[in-house]
Structures are given as C-alpha cells and as structure tokens.
Amino acid sequence: MIMIGGLAMMSAMAQTAQVKGRITEANTGQAIDFADVLLFANGDEQPVAHTLPDGEGRFALDRLAAGNYSLMIRLVGYDIYTKQDIALTATSVADLGVIAMKPLEVGLAEVEVVAQKKQIIYKLDKKIVEASSNLLSSGGTAVDILENTPSIRVDAEGEVTFRGSSGFAVYIDGKPSVFSGTLALQQIPSGQIDNIEIITTPSARHDTEGDVGIINIITKKDVRQGLNGMVNVSGSTSKTRSIDFLLNLQSKRSRWYFGGNWLDRILKSDFDQEKTTIVNGLTTRSHSNGPRESNNFSYSLKGGWAYSLPKTNISIDLEGGYAGRWRRGDLDYTETQMISENGHASANEYSYFSRDYYNIDQTFLQASLAAEHKFDDKGHKLNFLAYFKPAIDAMEYFQSDLFDGNIDKKQLGNPHSVFEEAQKNYYATEAKGLPSHLTPSNAYENQHRQLGHRAYEYEIKPTARINLDYVRPYSATGRIESGYQYYSYLEDGDYSMEFWEPEEDAFLFRKDDEIYDNDFYFRFSIHSLYAIWADSYKSFSYQVGLRGEHTYRALKTNVPGASRTYNQLHVFPSAHFGWDLPSDQQIMASYSRRITRPSLFYMEPYITYRDFYSAEIGNPDIQNEFINSFEVNYKKNFGENTVSLTAFHRNRNNKIERLRVPYESAIRAGVTLDSMANVGNDYSTGLELNTQIQFARWWNVTLNGSFYNYKVVNKLKSAGGSDESSRNYDILWNNGFTAGRNTRIQFDAIFVGPSVTTQGRTEAFWYANLSLRQQMLSRRLTGTLSVRDMFNTARYNSHISTSNLESVTRIRPFYPLVTLTLSYVFNNYRLKSSQDSDRDLFEGINH
C-alpha cells in the first residue's frame, strides 16, 4: 500500500518543555494519525497548544513554559482521552508513551450529531477531507464529497477540475483505481468513504502522474470486535438510485470484510447549442436543442482478509464487477447552408431529429496483496504491495441516427436496446470472421433514418503494479526513505465503424479505410526509484526527495505513419518544509515537479462521432506535460476555530488541451472535429481560504474561497486560439445547524466564477442547497433529505470563437432534484455519514 503519511512534526527542544506520545487504536494497535491533541494550562478553558499526530501516531507539543497542564485527545467515534496533572519544568520532557484510544461502545451513529469533525484537516504534504462533514453527499459519490473543497470545480457533465486542471491521479486505499480521473471518482459511493486525501505537491514517494496531484480515497474499515455492518439506500427525482453494504468480522488478530454496491448515478439536462462553421466557402449554421441524460453506473462486490502478527501485517483484497457510463441525447436540429458561387448566394434549410448514444463499460477484477514488517516500534519498517487488474471485457460504443423531421419520436426504440442488438451482432460477426450486415429490427426507424453510424472499440487492458518501500529512522526525529515501483499498462484492441446504407437497408463496415477500421496496441511501463530525507530541528521540519522514472510507451496501429515509440528517463525533485510558530500557528511550504503522460485516448488516430455534428480524433504526436508546483500554507487555530490560507503557483509546459475546428466531413456539412494538442504553456497563481467557525454549539460555519489568476500562452495559432487570461474565483458558504440531539440541517450557497481556454470562455453561475438529517431507532437508522439548486439558478453557458467557428452552448440542469437516503447500522458499526454535491447538475458540455 502506498504510504501517504505526513512528515513527523516532533522537535528536539533543549531549552523548553515538551509533551509527547504515540496514539493507537485500542483494539488493533494501529496508529491514529488525525486525532486532535490539545494541551491546557491548569485553570484555562482555551488550549495553549494543539497538534495532530504523524503517520505513525506520534505527536509532540513543544515550546512550553514551566507549569502544570492537562492533555485532551479527541476523535469522533472514540472515548475522549484526558491526562491530568502534567507538571513541567523549564527543560523537562513528559513522554506519555502509547495512548490507546477506545472506540465508543454506542458507535459513531450515537454521537455524531453533537461531535462534528472538521471539514478539512491540513498536514505537511496533504489535505484530508472528511466525508462526514457534509450532509449533501448522502446517496452521492466521491465527486460530491470533493465539491466543497477550495478550487474544486465540477462542470456541466460532472467532470472534476482542480485549480483549473483535470490532470489528477485517483487511488483507493493507496491502490490505483479501476478507472481514471472523474470516472473513477463517480464509481465510489460516498457511503463507503471515510475520508479523501488531496496531495497537491506529492513527495518523491508518490507517483509523478497528475499535474495537480493525487486524490486518495480512504474507505471505511470497522475495527470493533465481532460482526457488524451497515447498509445505505438512496433514490432521487432524477431516478438516481443506489444501494451499498459492508460487513465486518473482526477478531483480535484478523479481520474479514465483504461488501458491494449497485449505483446508477443519473444526470439530466436541457441542452441548447448554436454553431456556425465555414469550410471551403460553405457556411453552415445549426441550432440543436433537447434533453440529455447520462448514467455513471457501478455494480460490484468486494472482500478481503487482514491478519496482524506482532511485527507483521498482511492483507489481501479482491473486487470485481461491471462499471462504466452511458449517455443519450434526443435533439431537434435546424440547419441552414449558405454558399456563394459566381457572385450569387444560395441557402438551403433542413430540419432533422438526432438520437445519439454512447456506452463505455468494463467488466473488471482486481486483486492486491499488501504486507508490512516493523523491525521495531520506532518507525523502522518495510512495505510491499502487489496489484493486478485484468480487464476481462472492455467496450466503447458510439451510436448516432439522423431521422427526418417528421418522425414520430414515440415509435423509436429504446437506445440501450439498440445498443445491445448492435453489440450482439458485432460479437457474432467478429467471432465468425464475417462482415457485419446489420439491419435493425425497428422497421419504422429504418424507414425514416436519413443517416446513421455505429462505432465499436473492443479492448483488453490489464494493469500491474509492484511497490517496495523502506523507512529507516536514524534519530528521534530523522529518517531516510527509499523505494522501487514497477507499473505496467496495456491496451490491445480494435476499432470499427459502420454506416447506414439506404440501398442495402443495413449498416455496413468500411473496412477499406483505416480511419474507420483500425487495430491498435498500446504498451506503457514505468520503472521508478526514489529517496527521501526527513528530519526536524526545534520548530522546523523538512522533507526533501528525488524520484527517477524510466518510461517506455509504444503505440502500434495500422493507420499509415501513426505508430509511435517513446523511451525516456526523467527526474522529479520534491521538497516540504514546516514551521511551528507560537500561539498555535503553523506555516508549511512545498515544491513538486510533476508530469502528465498522454493516454491512448489522447493518441487514437481514428475518428469517432458523438453525434452527427461532433467528431473526435486523437493525436499520436501529443507530448508530455511537465508541471512545477509551489505552495505555501498558513494555519491558525483559535480554540475550536481554524483559519487556513494557501498560496499556490503552478506553471505547466506543453499544456494539453481539447481543440475544436470545422471539419470537412464525408458524412455531412457543419461538423466540428475535436482533438488534443500541446497548445503552449499556462500559469495558475492564487489563494485558497478555508475558515471553520463554531459560532454556537448549535451552529457551525465553513467558508471556503479560492481566487486565482489563470493565463494561457498559446503557441498553436493555427488552431484559431489566442493568449487568454482570466481571474477565477469560487465561494462556498456552508452552514450546519443542530436542531436537537437527533436532527441536523445544512444550507449551502455556492458561487462558481468564470473560466477561459485558448478558444473561449465559460460564464459564472451560482446555486443553493438545503438538506435535513433525522436519526431514528436509537440512531441506528438515519434519513437524509436534500434539495439541490433549490432556487433553480444553475446555468452553464460557454462560448467558443475562432476565425471559422462560432459555438455557443447553454445547459440547464434537471429541476427539482430531491434525494432521499436511508442508512442503517447494526452491532454498533462505526457509521460515518457522508456528503453529496451539486455542481454535476448539468449534462452535455462536450457537445
């Protein structure tokens, strides 16, 4: 397992007093690394010092004056630990040894109404977002939990960007996710998430992939003796539905668990787009509007076993299932084509109805073996992880049909049934080596179909990974780390596209054109070595590291001239520093060099169609992005309140961006073609604010804000783009109210500022959410009712403008969006409520 712990913050004070210790879980002996440790001078109600333990559970409170003190350690779901009468002289060190925190016998479900966790916890090299800090995630996914984090944006299709970039790596309990990016976050039910770690400037210990860092999702793991579990059921007015469960059997040394989820996360929106293209003197204006709907689905089972020996821990995890995403759109089109010849202008007008559908799915199985051996109790240890994911069956399917304007939409078939019929025919003909000759079963559709196409991308894509990490302390505060990692990814498949031929009354493949019929092989492997030196002196802590990665990448395809091979060594430094200041203040600074390597999706040299007016093609010559990230964080605690301010700067070379240009299509006029390109460099510089205030026992407020200047220096003028800059800002105002021992209310107001690309701009919008949670049956049953965009104000508007293309897109989300979630725990399972979000209200941004 990737060790995603923070740098030890212990100091070696010689002239001031110190209190130190190590915090563990009483039942398992595992380290606890995010409890609040508070020190009070006798007779005072406000703490004189506050800290969090490091990854090994160790803590140290330094710069203390002589006197008598008491210590409090608190963590939601555990008994509060107190230690009275700690007498310190000017130079004494009070070592409290191992402090075992006892889980509350009543479970967290009994106490979470009156003991709320902080929304964000800041550590030296990461932020920890607590899944239980927001009611709106109930029935949602990891995307919903992240939405309330400063600088996180979710666009009209639910795509997540952080500080203006979608380039982040996703891990689950330190292991790579089955999917990547936003799709990975959308597959994980919020009810099974404990917390989420955001590592914006990762150390040399971590993968270098992802320009804005790593998102590591920590799932729930109960530690109580015996059998216990939980189940969550959710549904919404958009027909989103989910059910997930988790069972645990814990003995003194071993733990078994078994869980599963069924998730259909449905987004609905009204879509409206106006496009004007100019190609070879032909001007085409089109207007499309209608409903769009998508479903991010996941159906899976998982299980595992862990065993603890005195110095060695072993765990085995298995998960399998079926997951992916489908999207459909039913759009009415009006089109005007204008052409000038010999000084005369002519115009033709057309009306169509378009139905487009795509389905990306995968049957998956993944297995991991992790082991940790501790040579002593001072942090000397060796960790091993082996991970393998064979992609049993992966398919990407695109379908578009263009009917005449007089068609009766009620007589059209279900697009998913059309997909299943086409898929069955594809597999049958491929297995027999026969050319496809598909006549759809719906005769009414065939009669009115003007144009149509189907595209199939079938592939196998196994993933393997091995990690070996070694940690050797050389003093009470210093340590050396080193490690090796091997990563391998393979995609081997074929792409085929068939078109409607009215004379044949069937869909036929175009086997003679590599753009529409292609075999591909993509191999990607990385060997990595790293070393880290970490230590502290008095109130100053530091961690410096260096990572070397050798990358091999090969793309083989039958498109002439499109095969590529890449073989390169890169070096990535990192540095993290921390200062503990008087009056419970802390400053942290960090630097990290990162890389974004092109995936096969960026490089595919063949055309796919999202609909009849929107095509895509990859770019086999796309290059790596290289990113330098700098960050400084200041944190100040005022008793129960916290203020954190982060300044950051990121510059990215060879920025990869989606570009849109007019396309002279053999299918029809007015088509635009999207492709990926290295457009130049971009720069993000800004501030993030997180303020958590307890105004009263019954009212707490979180105010998150981000403001950053974004600049793109365009070096690809041929695509019609230009240098662009914008001032981007987001504001979140979160209010939590305790309306009785069993009742909580939450109200959020969110403002999302404008943003730019090299080709256009997205406008600002705002919305508000309201949620109510009620606990029943001795708090074993919890019901959460939420209303999103309660004032119906969320709108997505974007504008693309070049010399030969104008595109304006407007999206209005489904309204009203109301969600009800029920959660039940038994045998005192340590329930942690979760949160839901709302910026993924829209559907259809990429059109």
Side-chain angles (χ1 to χ4, degrees), residues 87-156:
L88 299 177
T89 64
T91 59
S92 63
V93 176
D95 189 346
L96 305 182
V98 176
I99 300 171
M101 300 288 287
K102 297 180 180 179
L104 288 166
E105 293 303 319
V106 295
L108 184 56
E110 302 272 342
V111 298
E112 60 184 344
V113 167
V114 294
Q116 294 303 313
K117 282 192 171 185
K118 293 181 178 179
Q119 184 190 56
I120 301 176
I121 297 174
Y122 289 85
K123 290 206 165 188
L124 189 65
D125 62 351
K126 63 185 175 184
K127 302 179 184 73
I128 301 174
V129 180
E130 290 294 342
S132 61
S133 64
N134 192 310
L135 303 185
L136 283 164
S137 72
S138 298
T141 66
V143 172
D144 304 313
I145 297 173
L146 286 170
E147 188 185 22
N148 287 342
T149 305
S151 293
I152 290 283
R153 286 192 176 193
V154 184
D155 70 17

Side-chain angles (χ1 to χ4, degrees), residues 157-444:
E157 280 192 318
E159 295 293 320
V160 175
T161 58
F162 182 47
R163 293 177 179 171
S165 172
S166 59
F168 51 84
V170 179
Y171 294 88
I172 302 173
D173 293 325
K175 297 181 282 290
S177 170
V178 173
F179 296 94
S180 60
T182 300
L183 186 56
L185 299 174
Q186 291 171 334
Q187 304 298 316
I188 308 167
S190 60
Q192 295 200 4
I193 298 174
D194 190 358
N195 58 63
I196 299 178
E197 299 175 338
I198 300 176
I199 310 171
T200 52
T201 52
S203 69
R205 183 188 310 112
H206 305 301
D207 293 347
T208 57
E209 190 71 30
D211 61 6
V212 288
I214 296 171
I215 294 176
N216 184 46
I217 297 171
I218 306 300
T219 59
K220 293 179 178 178
K221 301 175 185 66
D222 192 88
V223 294
R224 297 178 185 282
Q225 299 291 320
L227 177 67
N228 51 63
M230 67 169 187
V231 61
N232 302 299
V233 181
S234 180
S236 79
T237 52
S238 69
K239 297 186 179 179
T240 288
R241 58 265 185 184
S242 68
I243 180 170
D244 63 86
F245 71 94
L246 184 62
L247 302 174
N248 289 276
L249 180 61
Q250 177 81 45
S251 65
K252 185 175 182 180
R253 292 193 177 275
S254 67
R255 171 183 177 259
W256 295 86
Y257 76 90
F258 178 70
N261 81 88
W262 180 289
L263 171 66
D264 287 299
R265 180 118 174 106
I266 295 175
L267 297 177
K268 297 180 180 180
S269 287
D270 289 329
F271 178 87
D272 185 280
Q273 186 176 74
E274 297 175 77
K275 260 199 285 197
T276 301
T277 63
I278 303 174
V279 178
N280 295 331
L282 175 63
T283 300
T284 304
R285 293 193 177 100
S286 65
H287 180 214
S288 60
N289 65 88
R292 286 201 175 275
E293 180 180 350
S294 70
N295 182 12
N296 296 286
F297 58 88
S298 175
Y299 321 119
S300 66
L301 294 173
K302 63 180 181 179
W305 170 76
Y307 192 78
S308 298
L309 295 169
K311 291 190 175 183
T312 304
N313 299 317
I314 301 172
S315 64
I316 298 173
D317 298 279
L318 296 170
E319 184 174 6
Y322 174 67
R325 184 186 189 196
W326 62 255
R327 184 182 63 203
R328 61 173 288 182
D330 290 345
L331 303 181
D332 292 308
Y333 278 90
T334 57
E335 177 186 292
T336 302
Q337 296 181 2
M338 293 171 290
I339 189 168
S340 297
E341 293 181 341
N342 302 321
H344 297 283
S346 60
N348 297 307
E349 295 186 358
Y350 306 93
S351 296
Y352 300 102
F353 171 74
S354 172
R355 168 164 285 180
D356 56 87
Y357 178 86
Y358 82 75
N359 189 94
I360 302 174
D361 59 45
Q362 182 180 140
T363 303
F364 67 91
L365 175 68
Q366 58 182 7
S368 65
L369 170 66
E372 178 186 65
H373 179 72
K374 298 180 180 180
F375 298 96
D376 55 35
D377 61 355
K378 298 180 180 180
H380 186 197
K381 61 185 179 180
L382 179 68
N383 290 278
F384 170 80
L385 170 68
Y387 169 89
F388 180 63
K389 185 199 77 175
I392 301 171
D393 180 21
M395 166 70 84
E396 296 184 23
Y397 170 82
F398 298 82
Q399 164 192 316
S400 284
D401 288 304
L402 201 63
F403 301 100
D404 61 56
N406 298 319
I407 193 169
D408 182 0
K409 300 174 186 178
K410 296 180 180 179
Q411 296 193 48
L412 297 179
N414 184 297
H416 191 74
S417 299
V418 175
F419 154 64
E420 292 177 338
E421 180 183 38
Q423 185 183 47
K424 182 178 179 180
N425 177 77
Y426 171 80
Y427 283 135
T429 55
E430 287 290 307
K432 298 175 182 178
L434 301 174
S436 175
H437 190 282
L438 171 64
T439 300
S441 58
N442 191 318
Y444 181 81

